[in-house]
């Protein structure tokens, strides 16, 4: 028999960033909010005080979701079987108080006005034929102008760092000239750039492009945030992505919104609680959730007026699909088969790798935001009339925080002796060590060559398929580890009818519930866009005048084993009507109006930029709407 | 599967002497001390309720690892000598220019294999496991998922073997390869002969060691774990005397850099490399969040309802 708790106003799935935003805003208005968190409580002090242990964090995934108990399955397309993601690869969802906001990189972006009118903008400018029939991109139900006040509020609440590029319509030198008008500058100045970031910026200026420093959710100076605490500026220790910040300079739910929510006295977090179902009553409305206390195995029911589906993108979609009832037999939000549609991702690759012999750039220091970027080839910032794709990417160099563990196995081979492998550079990952293959290229990928035997027992893919060894490898590490620089792209992946999420028919979690299945691959738009961007990376790389360089001209097929980006988006998308989406612009589920979804599952498709600032702005907007309007007419759809 | 050739009598003893001989070089090396502060891995607790739907969890891995630094928990003396010899060809060195042997990589690998059958990251182990085919898809079989051989690489780790089994099978396979080619076990070959075999494995020219393990996969494992043992913190058994950090010019665990420091080339060479436990105790001045206390579990909150 489940233990039944007293009804609360809101129950949230997980105690991550959007949960704490809702808990803070609604808690301050006197609403009771309970957050059910699968992981542990953790704080900067003492949990992150002594954390500079790369093996534990980068290789053994100390802060990640426990995929031994529950993972995801993947297949490239519906014609191939799905297999479980048995060990971490493509993305890194978090676990514990604050969720992935604790171990994120903290690149902090507003989207562009055209991003919100993605379909209609491209058709208006380039014609109906620019968008293939299977490309299911949609417009958002919100505009940039509607979100701007929330973007502004979020930046000042946390203390964002950056250089304004467009202040109320005035272009400001040194910032991003392609950004949309902002009502105020960033509250804090941008972070200093690494040496190789400055070289990249100089080369871009020489080519007539417009480099600017990375906007960041890391404090560049001490700042009093919305929780009332004064937090330290960044100390550039070099242990950032995949670590918790020991000085709370990297903003997270744990540094800012959870303390603010707890101070209201109305936000309660229960740790080690795994939510298994949203419960639905005879009228089709949600009645609360069923969860299991992982420390005892005891089942609990938490009744609530509103259920906030606020965990990771993939977990949110899975919970909706698992919550099947007489009224919603295919799951909450799925009466019209819209859940799982428009699953997209971020294209995160390192097309070009440069070696500067004799230089040592200190790439081990800093964090993931001490870099320089250009937006000249992102989104629709350039004319697509004569190219065979839509969308684009930022191009960047200069991430710090490189660790040998995640970069030595993929350092581009330099030796000429017989002990060097072929070292065919495959798809790299992000430039700099913010990612798994910190060195970028040098990772062999692609199908096995002739004469090579591939069995399902191949463990090499995870081990990194770099091939250099022996004296050549050692000399390469000695000479080039801190002299090798990647030029990376972070860009769009369009939505397609054939890329989607559903429940796996075969594989289950430790409770016996089906895992979520990802059906996802790259298509022509991604390949054509990558080819174009790789040529730009090559051009910038040459202008940086390296000793040697290598560009990977073509995009390899998607694989699940290389870390690329944790920006999984879509699957429970927002839209203007129930025939094309799961929720309205507040994340309110069309067919179950007392269920709200937060986070990047709402995105009709992911623009080139990282999703975090926008999902916070959307959570601010939703929290205000729930507080000011929903509770006056519970159960009614917000307009 | 072929059985490995019988080892000549006395092999274990000779191999052990080889290991002991290599240890003599390490007398001056720093050994890892216990960590100054205890860190816990993410909590894994066995359910107290027998009706729990949860499977019994593993016992937590102690942190820091609790093995004595110079003992083997998993490898036989012969296996240890083989791993040490193979990793010393992958990342070669000598006392004046240390490599995998001098860093103690073999101890890192042995310690890694001593917990959870060698799984040191969360790993989903439920069947069915994949099998590959070429040409026409074979008929359905229970507990098998058929995947085209040219696609399996995209799916990442799908091996039915545990890391411990990978080493048991791989090391036996390496000796079979050595005996077939040169008539001796791997550890007894000259350096150039050992390089020949490593090269065959790396280039995918050494076939399969087992129906579930290619020689090339075993090479990739050895190479990855060589890198981990060379460049992880010494507390895990390798990177002794920080020789890995010194090789690449990485200053290791540092508290902070100023912009002026990281914007001047060569800061890594100006600093004394440090291990995790060399970090001074950190005092942020303000003890952030100390006033915040959360319940450990929902059970603690029962009195409120």
């Amino acid at each position: 028999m489940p233990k039944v708790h007293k009804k609360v106003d809101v129950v949230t799935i997980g105690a991550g960033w959007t949960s704490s935003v809702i808990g803070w805003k609604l808690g301050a208005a006197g609403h009771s909010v309970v957050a059910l968190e699968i992981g542990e409580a953790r704080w900067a002090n003492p949990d992150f005080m002594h954390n500079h242990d790369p093996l534990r964090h980068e290789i053994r995934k100390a802060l990640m979701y426990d995929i031994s108990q529950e993972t995801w399955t993947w297949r490239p397309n519906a014609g191939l079987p799905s297999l479980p993601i048995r060990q971490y690869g493509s993305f890194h969802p978090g676990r514990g108080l604050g969720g992935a906001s604790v171990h994120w990189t903290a690149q902090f972006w507003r989207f562009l006005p055209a991003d919100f009118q993605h379909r209609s903008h491209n058709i208006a400018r380039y014609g109906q034929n620019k968008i293939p029939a299977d490309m299911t991109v949609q417009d958002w139900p919100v505009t940039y102008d509607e979100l701007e006040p929330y973007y502004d509020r979020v930046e000042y609440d946390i203390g964002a760092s950056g250089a304004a590029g467009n202040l109320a319509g005035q272009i400001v030198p040194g910032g991003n000239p392609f950004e949309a008008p902002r009502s105020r500058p960033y509250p804090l100045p941008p972070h200093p750039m690494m040496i190789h970031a400055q070289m990249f910026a100089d080369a871009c200026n020489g080519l007539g492009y417009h480099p600017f420093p990375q906007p960041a959710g890391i404090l560049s100076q001490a700042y009093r945030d919305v929780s009332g605490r004064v937090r330290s500026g960044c100390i550039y220790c070099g242990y950032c992505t995949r670590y918790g910040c020991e000085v709370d300079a990297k903003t997270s739910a744990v540094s800012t919104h959870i303390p603010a929510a707890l101070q209201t006295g109305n936000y309660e977090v229960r740790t080690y609680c795994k939510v298994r179902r949203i419960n639905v009553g005879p009228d089709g409305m949600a009645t609360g959730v069923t969860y299991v206390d992982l420390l005892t195995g005891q089942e609990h029911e938490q009744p609530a007026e509103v259920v906030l589906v606020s965990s990771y993108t993939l977990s949110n979609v899975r919970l909706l699909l698992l919550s099947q009832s007489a009224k919603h037999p295919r799951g909450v939000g799925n009466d019209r088969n819209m859940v799982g549609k428009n699953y997209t991702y971020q294209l995160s690759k390192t097309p070009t790798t440069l070696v500067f012999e004799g230089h040592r750039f200190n790439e081990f220091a800093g964090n993931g935001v001490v870099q320089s970027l250009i937006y000249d080839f992102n989104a629709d910032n350039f004319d697509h009339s004569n190219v065979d794709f839509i969308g684009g990417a930022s191009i960047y160099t200069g991430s710090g925080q490189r660790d040998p563990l995640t970069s030595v196995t993929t350092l581009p081979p330099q030796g000429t002796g017989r002990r060097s492998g072929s070292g065919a550079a495959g798809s790299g990952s992000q430039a700099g060590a913010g990612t798994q293959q910190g060195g970028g290229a040098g990772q062999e990928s692609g199908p096995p060559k002739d004469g090579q035997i591939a069995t399902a027992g191949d463990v090499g893919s995870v081990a990194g398929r770099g091939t250099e060894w022996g004296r050549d490898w050692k000399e390469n590490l000695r000479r080039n580890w801190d002299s090798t620089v990647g030029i990376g792209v972070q860009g769009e992946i369009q939505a397609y009818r054939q890329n989607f999420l559903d429940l796996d028919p075969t594989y289950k979690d430790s409770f016996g519930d089906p895992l979520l299945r990802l059906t996802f691959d790259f298509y022509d738009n991604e390949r054509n866009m990558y080819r174009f961007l790789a040529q730009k990376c090559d051009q910038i790389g040459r202008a940086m005048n390296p000793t040697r360089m290598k560009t990977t001209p073509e995009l390899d097929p998607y694989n699940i084993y290389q870390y690329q980006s944790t920006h999984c988006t879509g699957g429970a998308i927002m839209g203007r009507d129930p025939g094309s989406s799961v929720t309205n612009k507040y994340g309110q589920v069309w067919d179950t109006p007392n269920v709200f979804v937060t986070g990047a599952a709402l995105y009709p498709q992911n623009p080139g930029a990282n999703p975090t600032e926008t999902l916070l702005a959307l959570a601010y907007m939703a929290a205000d709407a729930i507080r000011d309007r929903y509770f006056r007419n519970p159960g009614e759809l917000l307009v | 599967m072929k059985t490995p050739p019988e080892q000549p009598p006395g092999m274990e003893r000779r191999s052990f002497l080889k290991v002991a001989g290599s240890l003599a070089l390490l007398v001056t090396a720093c050994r890892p001390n216990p960590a100054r502060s205890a860190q816990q891995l993410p909590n894994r607790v066995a359910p107290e309720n027998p009706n729990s739907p949860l499977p019994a969890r593993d016992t937590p891995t102690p942190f820091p690892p609790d093995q004595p630094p110079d003992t083997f928990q998993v490898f036989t003396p012969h296996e240890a000598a083989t791993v040490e010899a193979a990793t010393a060809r992958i990342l070669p060195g000598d006392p004046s220019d240390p490599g995998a042997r001098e860093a103690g990589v073999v101890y890192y690998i042995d310690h890694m294999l001593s917990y959870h059958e060698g799984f040191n990251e969360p790993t989903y182990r439920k069947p069915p496991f994949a099998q590959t085919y070429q040409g026409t898809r074979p008929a359905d079989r229970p507990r098998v998922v058929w995947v085209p051989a040219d696609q399996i690489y995209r799916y990442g780790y799908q091996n039915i073997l545990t890391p411990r089994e990978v080493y048991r099978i791989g090391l036996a396979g390496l000796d079979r390869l050595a005996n077939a080619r040169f008539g001796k076990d791997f550890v007894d070959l000259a350096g150039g002969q050992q390089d020949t075999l490593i090269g065959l494995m790396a280039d995918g020219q050494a076939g399969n060691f087992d129906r579930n393990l290619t020689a090339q996969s075993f090479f990739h494992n050895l190479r990855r774990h060589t890198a981990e043992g060379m460049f992880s913190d010494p507390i895990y058994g390798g990177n002794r005397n920080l020789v890995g950090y010194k090789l690449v010019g990485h200053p290791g665990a540092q508290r902070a850099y100023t912009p002026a420091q990281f914007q001047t080339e060569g800061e890594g060479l100006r600093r004394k490399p440090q291990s995790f436990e060399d970090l001074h105790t950190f005092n942020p001045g303000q003890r952030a969040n100390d006033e915040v206390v959360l319940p450990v579990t929902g059970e603690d909150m029962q009195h409120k309802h």
Side-chain angles (χ1 to χ4, degrees):
Chain A
M1 279 296 289
K3 234 174 235 182
V4 181
H5 294 254
K6 201 177 75 184
K7 187 174 179 178
V8 294
D9 292 340
V10 183
V11 63
T12 79
I13 318 304
W17 213 339
T18 58
S19 162
S20 61
V21 165
I22 301 283
W24 161 59
K25 282 187 171 256
L26 271 66
H31 292 289
S32 53
V33 183
V34 165
L36 301 170
E37 168 55 47
I38 193 172
E40 69 280 19
R42 66 253 172 100
W43 305 100
N45 184 8
D47 301 295
F48 309 144
M49 284 292 103
H50 206 68
N51 68 350
H52 292 5
D53 181 349
L55 189 82
R56 180 168 174 257
H57 289 86
E58 309 213 22
I59 302 295
R60 300 185 177 176
K61 314 293 190 295
L63 302 186
M64 309 307 169
Y65 201 76
D66 184 0
I67 60 170
S68 71
Q69 306 297 310
E70 176 198 334
T71 183
W72 310 271
T73 72
W74 170 76
R75 56 182 181 172
N77 57 62
L80 286 166
S82 62
L83 292 176
I85 299 172
R86 295 189 181 276
Q87 288 183 342
Y88 270 114
S90 191
F91 41 80
H92 286 160
R95 172 180 186 274
L97 196 66
S101 79
V102 166
H103 77 255
W104 70 316
T105 302
Q107 298 179 355
F108 211 58
W109 294 105
R110 297 180 176 202
F111 290 163
L112 302 168
D115 291 333
F116 295 99
Q117 275 94 45
H118 191 55
R119 185 177 192 91
S120 56
H121 171 92
N122 276 289
I123 289 174
R125 186 165 174 188
Y126 303 111
Q128 193 74 46
N129 293 337
K130 194 73 176 176
I131 299 188
D134 63 350
M135 191 188 281
T136 54
V137 293
Q138 292 182 198
D139 287 4
W140 294 53
V142 284
T143 63
Y144 175 84
D145 289 341
E146 269 179 280
L147 273 188
E148 203 283 335
Y150 296 104
Y151 277 143
D152 177 81
R153 194 68 257 164
V154 167
E155 288 167 3
Y156 276 78
D157 281 356
I158 73 163
S161 305
N166 182 336
L167 201 50
Q170 290 292 323
I171 300 299
V172 184
N176 177 6
F178 296 99
E179 78 170 346
R182 50 172 57 252
S183 48
R184 287 190 285 179
Y186 287 95
L188 293 175
H191 287 268
M193 286 193 293
M194 300 292 279
I195 299 162
H196 49 298
Q198 191 58 55
M199 292 163 61
F200 170 90
D202 293 344
C204 286
N205 275 322
L207 292 165
Y209 303 145
H210 302 85
F212 61 96
Q214 170 72 54
I218 299 177
L219 303 183
S220 57
Q221 299 172 359
Y223 188 79
R224 183 182 298 278
D225 73 17
V226 73
S227 72
R229 298 169 50 231
V230 177
R231 290 156 38 212
S232 154
C234 180
I235 56 175
Y236 305 106
C237 72
Y239 298 85
C240 194
T241 302
R242 305 196 185 113
Y243 301 81
C245 179
E246 70 262 41
V247 295
D248 263 346
K250 178 167 71 170
T251 306
S252 69
V254 165
S255 79
T256 300
H257 286 94
I258 287 176
L262 290 169
Q263 284 163 22
T264 69
N266 292 318
Y267 184 64
E268 177 195 326
V269 179
R270 296 180 199 155
T271 52
Y272 300 110
C273 293
K274 166 64 178 169
V275 177
R276 292 188 59 198
R277 292 291 185 277
I278 300 167
N279 300 320
V280 172
D283 59 351
M285 296 289 277
T287 58
V289 300
T290 293
Y291 69 93
V292 174
D293 184 325
L294 294 178
L295 298 188
T296 62
Q298 171 71 45
E299 195 169 73
H300 295 248
E301 266 177 38
Q302 178 58 63
E305 179 60 43
V306 167
V307 174
L308 191 80
V309 183
S310 52
S311 56
Y312 183 64
T313 297
L314 300 176
S315 306
N316 287 347
V317 173
R318 179 172 182 253
L319 183 64
L320 293 174
L321 291 171
L322 285 175
S323 299
Q324 297 167 358
S325 62
K327 285 290 180 179
H328 305 296
R330 289 189 295 268
V332 167
N334 205 24
D335 286 3
R336 300 207 197 185
N337 287 322
M338 287 293 145
V339 175
K341 162 184 138 90
N342 279 35
Y343 171 68
T344 56
Y345 194 49
Q346 193 177 31
L347 191 74
S348 185
K349 298 288 174 190
T350 307
T352 297
T353 309
L354 316 169
V355 177
F356 295 86
E357 269 188 11
H359 288 267
R360 288 193 176 264
F361 296 120
N362 308 323
E363 293 180 68
F364 46 80
N367 51 34
V369 301
V370 283
Q371 59 189 21
S372 175
L373 308 95
I374 59 168
Y375 248 38
D376 297 66
F377 302 104
N378 199 1
D380 198 34
N381 296 340
F382 60 104
D383 186 359
H384 288 68
S385 300
N386 297 315
V387 296
D388 47 359
F389 62 91
I390 61 168
S394 61
I395 300 177
Y396 66 96
T397 280
S399 173
Q401 66 182 15
R402 173 174 293 178
D403 191 86
L405 279 176
T406 49
S407 52
V408 296
T409 53
T410 52
L411 200 65
Q414 303 297 338
T416 52
R418 64 172 182 83
R419 281 182 222 150
S420 289
S422 62
S427 45
S429 58
Q430 289 189 9
T435 51
Q436 183 79 16
Q437 277 77 32
Q443 169 99 343
E444 188 179 318
S445 66
K449 297 179 202 68
D450 291 345
Q452 210 172 306
I453 302 162
T455 71
D458 189 356
V459 283
S461 55
V462 161
R465 292 168 150 230
T467 50
E468 204 178 35
W469 62 278
R471 186 60 59 188
D472 286 340
W473 189 34
K474 190 177 186 187
E475 291 312 311
N476 188 10
L477 294 176
R478 190 197 317 272
R479 285 207 312 271
N480 299 318
W481 177 71
D482 198 16
S483 315
T484 302
V485 170
I487 300 182
V489 299
Q490 284 205 112
E492 297 177 40
I493 293 174
Q494 307 305 327
Y496 299 92
R497 190 169 299 123
Q498 57 272 32
N499 284 346
F500 60 92
L501 307 172
D502 63 356
L503 294 176
D504 192 275
T506 305
Y507 295 97
K508 309 263 194 292
D509 71 6
S510 56
F511 292 98
D513 290 332
L515 300 179
L516 190 74
R517 174 171 66 181
L518 287 62
T519 303
F520 178 80
D521 207 349
F522 299 143
Y523 291 95
D524 281 348
N525 199 82
E526 287 70 57
R527 287 187 279 267
N528 297 341
M529 183 180 101
Y530 175 89
R531 188 180 305 116
F532 174 90
L533 292 164
Q535 291 163 4
K536 301 299 176 193
C537 292
D538 191 81
Q539 177 200 35
I540 296 167
R542 280 177 205 289
M544 290 171 71
N545 199 21
T547 316
R548 289 186 295 282
M549 62 181 286
K550 178 175 177 61
T551 295
T552 305
E554 297 290 333
L555 179 66
D556 285 327
Y558 179 71
N559 70 67
I560 205 74
Y561 65 82
Q562 262 182 319
Y563 181 79
Q564 290 152 74
S565 163
T566 303
H567 305 142
C568 300
T569 62
I573 67 173
M574 54 165 58
R576 297 193 189 281
D577 65 84
S580 63
S581 56
V582 177
T583 82
N584 63 16
K585 69 181 179 186
Y586 302 105
Q588 186 178 25
V589 174
W590 293 115
D591 67 30
T592 316
N594 66 335
V595 175
F596 287 77
V597 178
T598 62
L602 296 170
Y603 296 6
Q605 57 276 324
N606 196 32
N610 304 23
T612 306
E613 183 175 1
T614 297
L615 68 84
L616 287 172
L618 289 170
Y620 270 51
M621 187 175 80
D624 287 357
I626 295 170
R627 180 193 62 203
D628 300 340
R629 297 195 277 138
Y630 178 85
F631 278 117
R632 278 194 223 145
N633 293 298
E636 295 298 311
L637 281 165
L638 297 166
V639 184
Chain B
M1 187 180 148
K2 284 184 289 181
T3 49
E6 277 197 281
Q7 291 166 353
M11 174 53 64
E12 286 84 353
R13 188 165 164 272
R14 277 211 310 280
S15 305
F16 179 70
L17 291 176
K18 254 183 209 301
V19 175
S22 72
L23 288 181
L25 304 174
L26 291 169
V27 167
T28 57
C30 288
R31 288 179 189 174
N33 300 316
R36 200 171 290 151
S37 76
Q39 270 195 359
Q40 297 300 314
L41 284 177
N43 199 306
R44 293 162 178 262
V45 184
E48 294 152 23
N49 182 340
N51 301 320
S52 163
L54 274 178
R57 299 287 187 102
D58 293 325
T59 50
T61 305
F63 186 90
D66 60 0
Q67 297 94 336
D70 292 337
T71 57
F72 293 115
Q73 312 279 315
V74 175
F75 291 141
T76 65
H78 178 71
E79 285 174 327
T82 308
V83 170
E84 188 174 61
T87 55
R89 304 316 298 182
I90 291 172
L91 200 67
D94 58 53
S96 67
D97 180 17
R101 187 191 306 272
E102 293 73 22
V105 162
V106 62
Y107 296 100
Y108 167 81
I109 296 175
D110 181 85
H111 293 181
M112 179 196 77
L113 294 176
S114 69
Y115 295 106
H116 310 319
E117 302 166 285
F119 286 111
N120 274 276
E121 61 181 291
T123 305
Y124 181 84
R125 294 279 293 155
K126 287 186 171 54
F129 284 84
Q131 290 199 20
T132 55
Y133 67 92
Q134 281 167 326
T136 319
R137 187 178 174 281
D140 285 349
R141 253 203 268 155
R143 297 187 303 283
V144 170
V145 176
W146 292 110
V147 179
D150 65 348
Q151 293 295 312
I152 188 69
Y153 79 98
R154 299 175 68 184
Y155 290 90
Y157 184 95
Q158 295 294 337
N159 205 302
I160 198 165
L161 301 176
T162 66
R164 208 179 285 174
E165 289 167 334
V166 164
Y167 272 89
R168 284 266 129 83
I169 293 166
L171 292 170
L174 183 54
D175 270 345
R176 281 203 307 279
L177 189 68
N179 277 283
R181 184 103 183 185
F182 297 116
K184 288 180 184 166
D185 282 352
F186 186 83
V187 290
D188 297 320
L189 300 180
Q193 294 172 314
Q194 290 178 335
D195 281 351
T196 300
L197 299 183
I198 300 278
L200 289 172
M201 289 164 61
D203 297 340
Q205 303 297 313
N208 286 1
F209 285 162
D210 178 80
R211 63 187 293 266
N212 290 307
L213 184 68
T214 65
Q216 191 181 38
S217 275
F218 186 58
F219 165 79
H220 284 141
N221 266 257
L222 278 173
R223 182 177 183 267
R224 172 190 172 163
H225 294 144
T226 298
E228 287 182 10
M230 191 78 182
F231 298 106
S232 57
D233 195 273
I235 204 163
Y236 294 100
N239 195 8
R240 296 184 176 196
N241 217 8
L242 304 175
V243 296
Y245 292 165
K246 290 170 185 169
L247 171 66
V248 296
H250 178 44
Q254 302 282 336
R255 264 298 167 214
Y257 300 93
T258 65
Q261 286 170 327
F262 70 71
Q263 288 175 334
T264 308
E265 283 199 28
E267 178 66 11
L269 306 181
R270 291 190 288 273
R271 293 209 179 195
K272 184 173 175 289
Q274 292 194 137
S275 71
F276 176 64
E277 66 149 349
D278 292 331
L279 278 179
H280 63 80
T281 308
F282 190 66
N283 180 354
Q286 177 193 16
R287 289 184 58 83
N289 289 313
D290 271 8
E291 74 284 2
V292 178
V293 179
L294 282 183
V296 173
T297 158
E299 297 294 310
D300 290 2
M301 301 305 296
Q302 289 312 301
H303 65 274
K304 285 181 74 172
H305 305 293

